[in-house]
């Protein structure tokens, strides 16, 4: 008798049951996406409020630019520092230190131009358009992170007002320019949120990215490092220690790379000196402020607004200390203020440099939420109107960079 051969039907790969490992990965991915969707729905009022503020500012700028015969797109995408980032995306960094002032592009950190170049390589349109779209997108991610921090510390209403106030800052129009402020604020906000929620690896990774984005990335690194070391001393866990040691690597790595590129250990700081930007403990800031407010008989309006932002930020930090904000927020805001106010460089961009310091706005957001509706509406409405007007003035009347 011939042998009996049993033929088993072949099951297509697409219909086979998933392997246990693959199923777990898909389940974790699905849970993560579901949590993100819930978080986004929870943050929707804050994001819509922020978007409304910035769209109003854009409309005011567009009308003002039309009356002056200017285009909105070039103003937002290709002016001042935007040109430097686009130049780095196009041609990379220069090789040496040189001697010309205000001309060495090694002063600009690499993450934003790298992202612009990478995205522009796979999408249509110019790199300037890509840079502007990225800035707008990152501003929404930043507003989401700011809301998340405010919501965790104070509640949904306070988080929403915090995001709206950040959008209504006097120089808030920069959030929708081809600058790094939106990207940096997004990284800082979510890194601080990760610290608050005990996600140490995420906090460190975001701090490293922030350190590759702006010189003030050292403030994010300091927040993660200080809180991580204190958490390690308290709990003896390994994750906070790893985060504390990892967080500064982005900033330190770029500073070391610049030193190697120009052939001297203090190369990055030498570049900053060529931009007339050295830390002097605040002496230069006080001199500029005194000359402007005490001796100048006709001070320029934009510089008065910058001075008001600096004084107001210092006062808000005192309120943050009195409010006993979490240590991560206090360290971040404190180091940011120390870097910006302690710099001896140019005075006029200081308000923009402080734009990522959203924790400073938390006491104001709480006060607005506790106030009567009429008072709250007047405060928020005044902030939105003044931000829109000053944004147009800064870009279309003021002759210098924002």
């Amino acid at each position: 008798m011939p042998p009996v051969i049993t033929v088993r039907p072949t099951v297509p790969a697409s219909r086979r049951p998933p392997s246990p490992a693959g199923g777990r990965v898909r389940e974790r991915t699905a849970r993560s996406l579901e949590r993100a969707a819930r978080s986004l729905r929870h943050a929707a009022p804050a994001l819509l409020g922020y978007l409304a503020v910035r769209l109003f500012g854009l409309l005011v700028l567009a009308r003002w630019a039309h009356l002056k015969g200017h285009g909105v797109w070039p103003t937002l995408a290709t002016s001042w520092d935007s040109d430097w980032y686009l130049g780095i995306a196009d041609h990379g960094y220069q090789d040496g230190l040189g001697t010309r002032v205000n001309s060495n592009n090694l002063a600009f950190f690499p993450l934003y131009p790298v992202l612009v170049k990478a995205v522009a390589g796979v999408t249509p349109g110019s790199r300037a358009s890509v840079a502007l779209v990225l800035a707008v997108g990152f501003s929404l991610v930043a507003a989401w992170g700011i809301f998340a921090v405010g919501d965790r510390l104070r509640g949904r209403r306070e988080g929403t007002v915090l995001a709206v106030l950040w959008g209504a800052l006097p120089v808030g129009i920069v959030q929708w320019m081809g600058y790094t402020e939106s990207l940096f604020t997004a990284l800082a906000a979510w890194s601080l949120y990760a610290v608050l929620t005990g996600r140490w690896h995420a906090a460190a990774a975001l701090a490293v990215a922030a350190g590759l984005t702006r010189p003030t990335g050292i403030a994010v690194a300091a927040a993660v490092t200080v809180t991580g070391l204190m958490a390690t001393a308290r709990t003896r866990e390994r994750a906070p220690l790893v985060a504390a040691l990892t967080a500064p690597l982005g900033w330190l790595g770029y500073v070391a790379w610049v030193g190697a590129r120009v052939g001297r250990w203090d190369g990055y700081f030498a570049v900053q000196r060529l931009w007339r930007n050295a830390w002097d403990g605040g002496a230069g800031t006080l001199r500029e402020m005194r000359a402007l407010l005490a001796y100048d008989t006709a001070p320029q309006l934009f510089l008065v607004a910058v001075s008001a932002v600096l004084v107001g930020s210092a006062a808000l930090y005192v309120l943050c200390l009195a409010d006993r904000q979490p240590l991560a927020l206090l360290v971040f805001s404190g180091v940011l203020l120390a870097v910006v106010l302690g710099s001896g460089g140019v005075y006029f961009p200081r308000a923009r440099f402080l734009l990522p310091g959203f924790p400073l706005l938390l006491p104001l957001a709480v006060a607005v939420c506790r106030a009567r509706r009429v008072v709250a509406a007047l405060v928020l409405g005044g902030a939105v109107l003044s931000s829109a007007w000053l944004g147009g003035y800064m870009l279309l009347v003021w002759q210098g960079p924002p």
Side-chain angles (χ1 to χ4, degrees):
M1 178 181 293
V4 177
I5 302 176
T6 302
V7 179
R8 297 180 179 177
T10 302
V11 180
S14 60
R15 299 178 62 184
R16 292 174 187 168
S19 65
R24 286 194 296 270
V25 170
R26 276 191 284 270
E27 287 177 5
R28 285 197 296 269
T29 303
R31 286 197 298 268
S32 298
L33 292 175
E34 185 180 353
R35 285 195 299 269
R38 285 200 304 268
S39 175
L40 186 58
R41 287 194 297 269
H42 188 63
L47 297 180
L48 291 174
Y50 169 78
L51 192 60
V53 171
R54 291 282 22 106
L55 285 174
F56 177 74
L58 182 62
L59 290 174
V60 171
L61 176 66
R63 178 58 179 169
W64 200 335
H66 176 73
L67 294 175
K68 293 181 70 68
H70 294 292
V72 174
W73 182 88
T75 302
L76 296 177
T78 62
S79 60
W80 303 109
D81 285 10
S82 303
D83 277 341
W84 286 100
Y85 290 115
L86 293 175
I88 294 169
D90 288 335
H91 309 295
Y93 286 102
Q94 63 189 67
D95 293 327
L97 181 62
T99 57
R100 292 178 57 193
V101 297
N102 300 338
S103 65
N104 195 312
N105 65 3
L106 290 167
F108 298 88
F109 279 56
L111 184 58
Y112 183 59
V114 166
L115 291 176
V116 170
K117 184 175 183 178
V119 175
V122 296
T123 57
S126 66
R127 285 179 176 171
S129 298
V130 169
L132 189 55
V133 169
L134 285 176
V136 173
F138 285 130
S139 76
L140 293 171
V141 178
W144 188 2
I146 290 168
F147 164 79
V149 172
D151 177 45
R152 181 169 184 84
L153 295 179
R154 293 292 188 175
R156 190 182 191 189
R157 187 182 178 190
E158 287 79 359
T160 300
V161 173
L162 182 63
V164 170
L165 286 174
W166 183 70
L169 285 172
V171 293
I173 189 64
V174 174
Q175 297 163 10
W176 282 16
M177 295 179 66
Y179 278 54
T180 59
E181 272 71 19
S182 291
L183 170 60
F184 180 72
T185 306
L187 294 169
W190 284 108
S191 180
L192 293 173
Y193 180 77
V195 171
L196 295 176
T197 54
R199 296 176 172 90
W200 292 105
H201 297 310
L206 292 166
V208 169
L212 292 170
T213 305
R214 288 195 59 79
T216 45
I218 192 64
V220 185
V224 177
T225 296
V226 171
T227 52
L229 291 176
M230 294 192 68
T232 300
R234 185 176 62 254
T235 64
R236 303 298 179 183
E237 293 180 359
R238 183 181 178 184
L241 179 60
V242 173
L245 298 177
T246 304
L249 294 183
W251 190 88
L252 292 174
Y254 181 69
V255 170
W257 180 81
V258 172
R261 192 169 182 86
V262 302
R264 49 187 293 181
W265 70 270
D266 65 338
Y268 172 76
F269 303 100
V271 170
Q272 290 294 340
R273 286 193 292 273
L274 285 176
W275 283 84
R276 299 190 179 94
N277 190 22
W279 199 82
D280 64 1
T285 302
L286 291 176
R287 282 195 302 268
E288 292 279 356
M289 196 174 295
R290 183 179 60 182
L292 178 70
L293 301 179
Y295 299 111
D296 195 338
T297 57
Q300 298 186 65
L301 176 61
F302 180 67
L303 296 181
V304 173
V306 170
S307 301
V309 169
L310 299 184
V311 174
S313 297
L316 286 172
Y317 187 67
V318 175
L319 294 179
C320 292
L321 291 171
D323 196 36
R324 296 184 180 179
Q325 282 187 5
L327 181 63
L329 273 62
L330 292 176
V331 172
F332 169 70
S333 300
V335 174
L336 181 66
L337 280 169
V339 172
V340 175
L341 297 180
S343 171
V346 289
Y347 187 74
F348 48 81
R350 305 292 181 88
R352 171 169 64 86
F353 294 165
L354 286 176
L355 194 149
F358 70 92
L360 297 171
L361 299 171
L362 191 54
L364 183 57
V366 173
V368 168
C369 291
R370 291 176 178 174
R372 291 181 298 174
R373 289 186 178 182
V374 174
V375 175
L378 288 174
V379 171
L380 292 177
V384 172
L385 290 173
S386 62
S387 175
W389 183 85
L390 188 62
Y393 181 90
M394 178 178 65
L395 295 180
L396 300 173
V397 179
W398 166 251
Q399 297 301 310

